[in-house]
Amino acid sequence: MLHLDFRSLILPIGIVRMVEVLLTCICFALAASAGIPVTATSHWAWCMFCWCFCCFTTLLIIILEFTNLNTKVPISWEDFTMAFAMLATLMMVTIAIIYPTFFACPSCSRQIGASAVSWLCFGLYAAEVWLVHKRPGETSGFLTTVPGLLKILETFVACIIFTSLSPAEYKAVPATQWCVAVFSICFVFSLLIVFLTIAKLSSIFPFSFDKAVISFNILAVAMYATAVVIWPLYVFDRNPRPDNCNLCPWDDLVVVTFMTIINFFVYTGDLAYSVKIVFFTYRGQE
């Protein structure tokens, strides 16, 4: 029998989520009514996707908790809501920077409004992270550790890389195609690790899941190390910044370069913390 929990709507976290749904809808409506831009369409699509994704996922969480169906879902609900809140926070702060940079102007009232409301959304999702963290409940523990937080960050940075990639810039050279393969492979496996942990499926492996994650992190660090060197070496070779470049595709190459470096350090930190937890913390508790 379906049991409705009206208390979930009046708790601070419930109120925050309802305001998030409203504000993300407003952002999407403002940006959509402003029309599809001629340039930087991939960044525009990313912003629209983030607003839609955050709006509908937040609404789904509200409905599941209101109907108590979240207790029937065979996943770690607290870990899932924490992962989503952290991802949404990163998405909103990125949109709040990207959207006004590419699409706002002094006379663009709708774009300015969408940018301002995105900052409010960022604050609300950051508040949700804090509220979920303080909320009592059973957690798997993964997302409360530094490696868990870094896994979310790794997948998010990869999404930024994908939105900045242009096929014309990397398809011509096998070396840059390898870099895109690195971004894709590491993204898929990082996302898979998060999914397996939230879904509580890590225990079905016939070997140590923690050590498998460490092995992947070692491979990811080595692969990203090659991309950090290869990507700028080939994409900027005899390719200086055009004189008339104003947020042109060349700038996207710079974004990919910096995001690659950032993800290399994130994976390195992830590896270091994973090794510390598995080989030092666990052994110290035995």
Side-chain angles (χ1 to χ4, degrees):
M1 182 177 178
L2 194 65
H3 174 65
L4 302 181
D5 184 9
F6 289 94
R7 186 171 174 269
S8 66
L9 301 178
I10 60 174
L11 288 173
I13 192 170
I15 296 172
V16 166
R17 284 171 176 163
M18 287 189 288
V19 178
E20 289 167 355
V21 171
L22 175 63
L23 294 186
T24 49
C25 279
I26 291 174
C27 289
F28 181 85
L30 288 172
S33 62
I36 302 175
V38 178
T39 59
T41 53
S42 63
H43 294 291
W44 180 84
W46 166 251
C47 294
M48 299 296 280
F49 165 77
C50 289
W51 286 320
C52 285
F53 172 75
C54 292
C55 176
F56 284 107
T57 307
T58 304
L59 184 60
L60 177 64
I61 291 172
I62 292 173
I63 294 172
L64 290 177
E65 291 199 349
F66 176 63
T67 57
N68 268 321
L69 290 177
N70 62 306
T71 59
K72 308 296 182 182
V73 180
I75 64 172
S76 173
W77 182 253
E78 296 299 328
D79 271 352
F80 168 72
T81 53
M82 174 66 85
F84 167 71
M86 288 189 297
L87 182 60
T89 302
L90 292 171
M91 284 180 167
M92 288 303 147
V93 72
T94 306
I95 292 173
I97 296 171
I98 290 177
Y99 192 78
T101 301
F102 283 91
F103 309 114
C105 64
S107 60
C108 304
S109 58
R110 294 175 183 176
Q111 290 88 336
I112 293 173
S115 304
V117 177
S118 291
W119 279 110
L120 294 177
C121 292
F122 161 67
L124 288 170
Y125 278 109
E128 184 182 345
V129 170
W130 184 80
L131 290 171
V132 172
H133 181 70
K134 294 295 182 181
R135 194 177 184 179
E138 181 184 356
T139 62
S140 69
F142 177 71
L143 292 177
T144 61
T145 65
V146 173
L149 300 175
L150 293 178
K151 276 285 172 282
I152 301 297
L153 184 58
E154 289 160 6
T155 56
F156 176 75
V157 172
C159 287
I160 299 297
I161 291 175
F162 294 142
T163 59
S164 302
L165 283 173
S166 173
E169 300 292 346
Y170 68 80
K171 279 191 173 181
V173 183
T176 52
Q177 292 178 19
W178 159 254
C179 294
V180 175
V182 169
F183 305 146
S184 303
I185 293 171
C186 293
F187 169 76
V188 169
F189 277 94
S190 293
L191 200 60
L192 182 62
I193 290 170
V194 173
F195 170 76
L196 290 174
T197 307
I198 291 176
K200 298 181 180 180
L201 295 176
S202 58
S203 59
I204 67 174
F205 283 82
F207 46 83
S208 172
F209 182 74
D210 290 333
K211 292 181 180 179
V213 171
I214 291 176
S215 300
F216 161 70
N217 286 338
I218 293 173
L219 181 62
V221 169
M223 294 172 70
Y224 259 93
T226 63
V228 166
V229 176
I230 292 174
W231 179 264
L233 185 65
Y234 280 87
V235 298
F236 295 120
D237 183 33
R238 288 174 289 184
N239 183 24
R241 191 174 193 270
D243 295 332
N244 59 346
C245 178
N246 182 20
L247 299 177
C248 64
W250 193 91
D251 290 337
D252 287 336
L253 299 178
V254 177
V255 172
V256 173
T257 301
F258 278 104
M259 291 298 104
T260 302
I261 295 172
I262 289 173
N263 237 9
F264 168 71
F265 284 113
V266 173
Y267 274 106
T268 302
D270 190 0
L271 173 61
Y273 274 103
S274 297
V275 169
K276 178 184 175 183
I277 290 174
V278 173
F279 293 102
F280 295 96
T281 304
Y282 287 171
R283 286 188 177 181
Q285 294 174 352
E286 293 177 353

